[in-house]
Amino acid sequence: MTLKNVERWGAVSQTFHWLIVLLILTIATVGLIMVDLPKTPKYFWVYTLHKSLGITVLVLAVLRLGWRLYAGAPPALAGTPRWQERIASVTHWLLYALIFAMPLSGWLYDSSSGLRPFRWFGLFLVPKLSPPNPSLRTLSHDTHETLFWVLVCLVALHAVAALYHHLVQNDATLVRMLPRRRKRTQPEEPPQESNHVA
């Protein structure tokens, strides 16, 4: 059994994919909630959690891209129209770009805001990308928000396309990113007793 992406996405690629999906959903939820929180100690705890999760996604994105370059990608399913292949390829690389750009813009916003350095999940200090800079702070904040909504739209399009392939076209596009089901082995039937009388 190979971990590379041969006929379907391998276990490593699947793990990176679903872990990043879960983290992005968590970060988005935390980000939308903390906008309305009052500036209390709880707010700053939630804000630090948001930033720590964002850095985690950035690290995972680097590892995922490295694995993708090493393990490749499974070929398109037989019979897939050329235009669908191109759209899928462009969508995948746009998603990669956004998964990098989102945490980087947030990190730059935090750095240019002049806030105290934060500890990644309380473990170690995260360095600043720039000194305090009001204009850069505004630009990176606006970029971060815009990229978030672009990511939401692109993820929704990606999910709808996967469901369309699964439910309408009834092909293996979605199944190839899911763990392979183990086939049940049929229990052996006990030998039947012979009624033959010697």
Side-chain angles (χ1 to χ4, degrees):
M1 178 180 134
T2 177
L3 293 176
K4 286 191 173 183
N5 306 315
V6 183
E7 295 180 356
R8 66 199 317 272
W9 295 101
V12 176
S13 293
Q14 289 181 21
T15 301
F16 277 132
H17 178 273
W18 294 112
L19 184 56
I20 289 175
V21 167
L22 179 62
L23 285 173
I24 287 176
L25 287 173
T26 304
I27 292 169
T29 303
V30 171
L32 291 172
I33 288 174
M34 74 182 191
V35 172
D36 297 322
L37 290 177
K39 300 295 190 293
T40 63
K42 182 179 180 181
Y43 168 84
F44 293 103
W45 181 88
V46 172
Y47 189 36
T48 301
L49 173 64
H50 180 78
K51 293 186 286 188
S52 296
L53 290 172
I55 295 296
T56 304
V57 166
L58 182 59
V59 172
L60 288 174
V62 172
L63 295 174
R64 180 181 179 180
L65 181 58
W67 181 258
R68 168 72 182 269
L69 295 175
Y70 166 74
L77 293 170
T80 303
R82 189 72 178 167
W83 64 270
Q84 285 189 10
E85 286 186 46
R86 289 177 179 172
I87 290 177
S89 179
V90 170
T91 302
H92 283 146
W93 288 111
L94 281 175
L95 284 169
Y96 271 110
L98 286 168
I99 290 170
F100 276 97
M102 276 292 297
L104 282 172
S105 61
W107 189 359
L108 187 58
Y109 167 63
D110 178 74
S111 300
S112 57
S113 296
L115 300 173
R116 290 183 303 172
F118 75 95
R119 290 183 176 273
W120 181 79
F121 292 113
L123 298 177
F124 59 83
L125 287 174
V126 176
K128 296 291 187 181
L129 295 180
S130 80
N133 185 323
S135 59
L136 185 58
R137 174 184 181 275
T138 302
L139 176 63
S140 55
H141 178 268
D142 293 345
T143 301
H144 192 62
E145 282 196 344
T146 301
L147 290 177
F148 169 73
W149 291 113
V150 173
L151 180 62
V152 167
C153 294
L154 202 57
V155 167
L157 178 65
H158 184 62
V160 167
L163 290 173
Y164 172 79
H165 277 278
H166 187 68
L167 300 175
V168 178
Q169 293 196 325
N170 198 28
D171 63 29
T173 299
L174 176 60
V175 174
R176 294 200 302 177
M177 188 50 90
L178 299 175
R180 192 188 300 269
R181 290 182 180 178
R182 292 184 178 178
K183 294 180 179 179
R184 288 185 177 181
T185 55
Q186 296 291 334
E188 294 184 7
E189 294 184 5
Q192 294 184 354
E193 294 182 5
S194 174
N195 295 324
H196 176 70
V197 178

